[in-house]
Amino acid sequence: MRFKERNKKILTLLIFFLTISSGSCVEASSRSHISKSKIIPAEVSFYEQVLPSLAGKSVVLVTNPSGIGRHPEKILKEFKDKKVKIKHLIGLEHGFLGLEEDFSKSPVTMDETFQLPIYHIYKVKNSEIPAILKGADAVVFDVVDMGMRCYTYLSVLKRLMDNLPDPNTKFILLDHPNPALYLGARGEGIQKKFLNFAGEFPSLFFTGMTLGEAAAFYNGEYLGGKVKLDIISPENLKRGFDWDREGIPWSTPSPNLPMLDSARNYLGLVLLEGVNVSVGRGTQAPFVYFGAPWMNEPEEIISELNEDSKGDYYYQSVFFKPTFGPFKGEICRGLRLTVVNRKYDPIRMAYNLTSIMKKKYKDFKWRQYADGSHNIDFLWGTEKFRESVDAGKTYEEFKASYAESESSTNKLIQKYLIY
């Protein structure tokens, strides 16, 4: 009897340790090393094949550290070796080094690394862009995008494509995956009265496309194919990729998206920029922390929010003090968002979160501009998000109001999808 009991205990312990060991292996393999990635970035083909074909040509360069701009010394060396002249640079929202929190106050500055002019498109009139691009044999465009209309790199792409003065100028775009690709085209289109630099591209809130696919779509549907577009695709990229398990490194496209977790959270929390809270800009956890000095006792809404999450994400209470942006230097109470399901619904999360916060806090307000218009309407593209929350509509009711547009848009973009 003792022998049987001892064997039973040994068997139980063996199963326990095998389970722990197996679990550890699964956990360890959830994020792959870059050396195991089968996806070859577009920049490899660019330097090996495309750049040599530009010998003796003049180019305008648009990049930052999320693209080839993370290695400016290599750009200088390779372009010089291949006898390719950089005419000047185009500045994106966060500057060439991707470190600037605020827009440049000047339309043109001198870049210290390249000793070349850098033109900040958001400060330049559209009518002035053709003169900036004049004389270039090619525009080289390489940044990581978020797959969202409100992310301003898409607006820069559109403005450059709109204003190419010479139909023979090549537009060379190095493509990348983006964190929102799994969603497809989602949300609403933007109404004319809400067009702005953070909402200019003719797409739904989520484009459903990579930047290269978006460029092909815009060229085909709006420009009659007039742009000589050359999309350099990452090799072996498939639409259903898993960012972590494919071993794709995260390259920071802007200072408030330092990690992939921040980027995933951004997909939904960006809509809180239409509310009088801080979204963690100026903290160690942008788009992870959010809150305000008035957001007292946040624990009271945590259980409701976590129950609503369906296990896709969860919230914890947190204190933080932003160093810039809303509530700079003030102690804020709020929440920390952790996404568990990498393919969660960010619109549902943002809508229900906003609705619950509005119901709970009397100090909740929609952020407004001086003329009385609402920031959230410019972000979302219509008044519908704000008006639906104010009317107490469920997410399902809100979603149904634009379901037909989502369906037709996803059909429209199919012919432009590469991956």
Side-chain angles (χ1 to χ4, degrees):
M1 189 72 178
R2 285 180 182 175
F3 181 76
K4 286 183 179 179
E5 286 178 2
R6 189 180 70 176
N7 281 355
K8 187 176 180 181
K9 286 181 181 179
I10 291 171
L11 182 61
T12 301
L13 285 170
L14 182 60
I15 292 170
F16 172 77
F17 284 117
L18 283 172
T19 302
I20 293 296
S21 174
S22 173
S24 298
C25 290
V26 170
E27 180 65 27
S29 65
S30 64
R31 179 167 289 177
S32 296
H33 193 273
I34 185 175
S35 64
K36 296 182 179 179
S37 179
K38 296 178 182 177
I39 296 174
I40 302 172
E43 71 172 83
V44 175
S45 295
F46 173 74
Y47 277 123
E48 290 180 356
Q49 300 168 26
V50 180
L51 189 62
S53 73
L54 296 173
K57 306 290 186 182
S58 173
V59 305
V60 169
L61 180 61
V62 192
T63 189
N64 69 11
S66 67
I68 59 174
R70 73 180 175 279
H71 196 168
E73 295 82 4
K74 182 174 182 179
I75 295 174
L76 288 167
K77 180 182 184 302
E78 293 291 335
F79 278 58
K80 183 179 179 181
D81 288 350
K82 303 298 186 298
K83 297 180 172 54
V84 180
K85 178 185 177 183
I86 302 174
K87 190 171 185 285
H88 46 248
L89 310 171
I90 296 294
L92 297 148
E93 180 180 345
H94 299 286
F96 185 82
L97 297 180
L99 300 174
E100 306 302 321
E101 293 293 349
D102 298 316
F103 291 102
S104 170
K105 292 181 172 58
S106 172
V108 58
T109 55
M110 183 62 70
D111 180 79
E112 294 180 4
T113 304
F114 287 81
Q115 289 298 303
L116 289 170
I118 180 166
Y119 290 87
H120 305 282
I121 290 297
Y122 46 83
K123 281 287 185 181
V124 175
K125 294 177 182 177
N126 279 340
S127 60
E128 298 171 332
I129 297 176
I132 296 171
L133 301 179
K134 187 177 180 181
D137 297 297
V139 174
V140 176
F141 197 105
D142 182 24
V143 293
V144 168
D145 176 55
M146 287 296 293
M148 305 172 74
R149 185 184 59 229
C150 66
Y151 206 66
T152 60
Y153 299 172
L154 199 56
S155 295
V156 175
L157 174 70
K158 175 185 177 296
R159 291 187 183 188
L160 294 177
M161 290 179 70
D162 282 340
N163 293 287
L164 281 175
D166 186 344
N168 293 314
T169 300
K170 279 189 176 182
F171 200 102
I172 301 168
L173 190 149
L174 282 66
D175 208 7
H176 298 264
N178 68 61
L181 205 55
Y182 70 92
L183 288 163
R186 293 284 309 277
E188 288 191 272
I190 192 163
Q191 293 178 350
K192 189 175 181 179
K193 62 182 176 180
F194 295 124
L195 291 172
N196 66 99
F197 187 58
E200 194 172 287
F201 194 81
S203 72
L204 302 189
F205 186 71
F206 290 102
T207 68
M209 298 175 279
T210 66
L211 206 57
E213 292 169 339
F217 160 76
Y218 187 65
N219 193 32
E221 296 294 322
Y222 292 88
L223 299 179
K226 72 175 185 179
V227 175
K228 291 180 68 175
L229 189 60
D230 186 4
I231 300 166
I232 315 301
S233 299
E235 291 183 33
N236 304 319
L237 178 64
K238 292 182 173 58
R239 205 160 207 84
F241 76 99
D242 183 300
W243 203 294
D244 294 309
R245 288 177 182 164
E246 293 288 353
I248 305 172
W250 176 246
S251 298
T252 304
S254 54
N256 289 293
L257 300 177
M259 300 174 292
L260 185 55
D261 286 343
S262 302
R264 287 191 177 118
N265 288 12
Y266 176 88
L267 302 181
L269 289 186
V270 67
L271 288 166
L272 282 192
E273 300 217 75
V275 175
N276 61 331
V277 299
S278 163
V279 289
R281 292 181 185 271
T283 73
Q284 66 270 47
F287 293 102
V288 174
Y289 297 167
F290 63 92
W294 50 261
M295 202 169 161
N296 58 301
E297 299 182 4
E299 293 86 355
E300 291 187 2
I301 64 171
I302 286 177
S303 59
E304 184 177 1
L305 288 169
N306 285 346
E307 185 177 350
D308 175 74
S309 76
K310 298 182 178 180
D312 285 347
Y313 42 86
Y314 62 87
Y315 300 89
Q316 300 164 272
S317 59
V318 71
F319 290 94
F320 62 92
K321 185 190 288 187
T323 58
F324 60 86
F327 308 116
K328 175 182 176 180
E330 297 183 57
I331 295 175
C332 295
R333 296 200 69 179
L335 300 177
R336 173 188 185 130
L337 171 66
T338 300
V339 171
V340 177
N341 177 5
R342 296 165 182 162
K343 296 189 176 181
Y344 78 113
D345 182 345
I347 300 177
R348 180 184 183 278
M349 184 273 285
Y351 186 85
N352 288 348
L353 170 61
T354 306
S355 298
I356 290 169
M357 287 173 63
K358 184 178 188 295
K359 181 177 66 177
K360 159 68 178 173
Y361 294 107
K362 62 180 178 58
D363 290 315
F364 173 100
K365 290 184 179 64
W366 298 107
R367 198 178 296 282
Q368 290 181 274
Y369 295 114
D371 64 0
S373 59
H374 292 86
N375 178 284
I376 187 67
D377 300 346
F378 287 85
L379 276 169
W380 180 250
T382 76
E383 298 102 331
K384 203 174 288 180
F385 187 98
R386 174 175 54 86
E387 290 178 348
S388 297
V389 169
D390 285 346
K393 291 184 178 181
T394 65
Y395 171 68
E396 286 68 29
E397 290 172 320
F398 170 60
K399 183 181 179 181
S401 69
Y402 56 84
E404 188 176 331
S405 176
E406 281 189 347
S407 177
S408 60
T409 301
N410 276 295
K411 289 176 183 175
L412 174 64
I413 67 174
Q414 279 298 313
K415 61 183 175 181
Y416 298 105
L417 303 186
I418 301 169
Y419 312 100

